Amino acid sequence: MEQVERIDTVRQYNDNMGVDTLHPLVSVVDFDDMPTYQYFRRYIGIYAVFLKYINCGDMKYGCQSYDYEDGTLVFISPGQIYGIDSKGKVIKPAGKALVFHPDLISGTDFGRKIKEYTFFSYEVNEALHLSKKERSIVNDCFAKIAYEIDQNIDKHSKTLIVSNIELLLNYCMRFYDRQFITRSHANNDILVRFENLLNDYFQSDKCQDLGLPTVTWCAEQLHISANYFGDLIKKETGNTALEYIQSKVIDAAKLIIFDSDKSISDIAHHLGFKYQQHFSRLFKQKTGMTPNEFRSLN
């Protein structure tokens, strides 16, 4: 069984990197000070943002490969496992790391909305690819955080450090929005595959066997993370992935609702609903009519 290192604190991370700990809850590490390596796997109990200038090998995030290139940002949240496999080559990394403990942001407005930064859960092939100008902005944010860490801690330190981390992540949200737009060809391919996946689902017996398709199930079939999938669908269609699935359910229901041999209960079961009232409630929500009213009207 492969060995997995455990990093639960900022000090442990700094010790592993061979750098001093200037603040117990946050650190900015320049990879120029990092030793060479070939392979490692780590469980991490802190937030980490890695700015990478070079490809250091195959990066593993959970059980999947994480696709990144020169000048990219990789985000990892507490409780996740990541690692590098350089395929036997000795690697001297280039870039920076920002790591911070959840306690740093506990009780702050930023801490309460940290889950809104869904890119911390983009697990497969979706690192943030930066332009030259974007990388300059990110480096500036790293520098501001490092400057505050290097000062004597006073009553302003936490506010300034946290606000600069929040500024960095807000920029990253903007940059990810740009990435969604610039990757429109890849996004359209995912949308087409999503549409085909749902069409096949409702035309087969999967509904009876598996129930209604979930966002997580669809994302797994498309080999992307659920959070990235949800964000992509929202950006491309204006609807959430769940709303999109529900619309396809209603479209499928409309195709069979005029079959007089099928009761509303039969239709609900055919589409994967466990209870007829759940189907009827969703149908009325989407059409303004109950299934029976729709059947009678048409």
Side-chain angles (χ1 to χ4, degrees):
M1 185 175 180
E2 61 180 331
Q3 183 176 359
V4 178
E5 303 174 66
R6 189 178 180 101
I7 302 290
D8 287 307
T9 66
V10 169
R11 182 177 294 278
Q12 286 177 331
Y13 182 82
N14 287 341
D15 289 347
N16 196 282
M17 298 297 105
V19 299
D20 294 334
T21 297
L22 304 179
H23 191 295
L25 299 179
V26 59
S27 180
V28 174
V29 176
D30 193 319
F31 287 160
D32 286 344
D33 303 321
M34 185 177 170
T36 59
Y37 59 84
Q38 292 180 310
Y39 177 89
F40 68 81
R41 291 274 287 169
R42 290 186 185 131
Y43 167 92
I44 194 162
I46 54 180
Y47 289 97
V49 180
F50 298 121
L51 172 59
K52 293 187 170 289
Y53 295 158
I54 63 171
N55 190 316
C56 301
D58 293 337
M59 186 164 187
K60 294 292 185 181
Y61 194 26
C63 297
Q64 304 292 338
S65 293
Y66 201 114
D67 175 31
Y68 68 98
E69 297 174 351
D70 299 355
T72 57
L73 281 172
V74 176
F75 303 86
I76 298 175
S77 59
Q80 295 170 330
I81 294 176
Y82 77 103
I84 293 287
D85 185 357
S86 64
K87 305 299 184 183
K89 297 179 182 178
V90 176
I91 295 295
K92 182 67 175 74
K96 295 181 177 69
L98 164 67
V99 295
F100 59 97
H101 195 279
D103 287 352
L104 178 72
I105 60 176
S106 178
T108 66
D109 289 338
F110 173 57
R112 284 185 281 274
K113 65 179 185 180
I114 187 69
K115 297 298 183 183
E116 295 177 10
Y117 300 97
T118 50
F119 44 74
F120 276 105
S121 295
Y122 289 176
E123 295 183 3
V124 184
N125 299 330
E126 291 304 339
L128 178 55
H129 306 274
L130 299 172
S131 68
K132 186 176 181 180
K133 184 181 292 185
E134 289 169 349
R135 193 167 83 173
S136 176
I137 292 172
V138 168
N139 269 313
D140 185 57
C141 290
F142 271 66
K144 285 186 170 74
I145 298 166
Y147 172 82
E148 287 301 326
I149 294 172
D150 200 41
Q151 305 304 302
N152 292 326
I153 297 177
D154 59 27
K155 64 180 182 180
H156 303 289
S157 298
K158 179 175 179 177
T159 299
L160 290 167
I161 291 171
V162 170
S163 63
N164 277 297
I165 294 175
E166 183 175 10
L167 177 64
L168 168 65
L169 297 186
N170 284 337
Y171 271 120
C172 292
M173 289 186 75
R174 168 187 280 181
F175 300 156
Y176 258 117
D177 283 348
R178 182 270 310 153
Q179 183 161 300
F180 277 114
I181 294 170
T182 57
R183 297 191 66 207
S184 58
H185 178 75
N187 295 347
N188 287 334
D189 177 64
I190 291 174
L191 280 175
V192 169
R193 289 163 54 209
F194 181 33
E195 182 83 11
N196 292 337
L197 177 71
L198 292 178
N199 288 338
D200 174 71
Y201 197 93
F202 290 116
Q203 291 170 10
S204 67
D205 296 327
K206 289 188 175 71
C207 290
Q208 291 90 338
D209 296 335
L210 303 176
L212 289 170
T214 65
V215 173
T216 299
W217 183 87
C218 291
E220 288 173 351
Q221 303 309 302
L222 298 171
H223 307 293
I224 55 178
S225 67
N227 275 348
Y228 183 84
F229 174 62
D231 290 347
L232 182 151
I233 298 300
K234 181 70 173 177
K235 295 287 191 309
E236 290 290 322
T237 69
N239 295 318
T240 66
L242 178 59
E243 290 170 339
Y244 195 94
I245 292 171
Q246 289 174 341
S247 294
K248 294 297 291 185
V249 172
I250 299 306
D251 288 343
K254 288 177 179 178
L255 293 175
I256 57 176
I257 203 166
F258 302 121
D259 185 346
S260 58
D261 292 334
K262 286 186 171 65
S263 67
I264 301 302
S265 178
D266 291 337
I267 294 171
H269 175 72
H270 176 80
L271 293 173
F273 287 87
K274 190 173 182 180
Y275 302 106
Q276 176 190 328
Q277 57 266 39
H278 292 172
F279 166 64
S280 297
R281 186 183 305 124
L282 178 64
F283 194 94
K284 185 169 185 178
Q285 176 189 332
K286 294 295 183 181
T287 68
M289 292 177 279
T290 67
N292 275 323
E293 288 171 342
F294 186 87
R295 173 182 271 179
S296 299
L297 184 66
N298 288 274

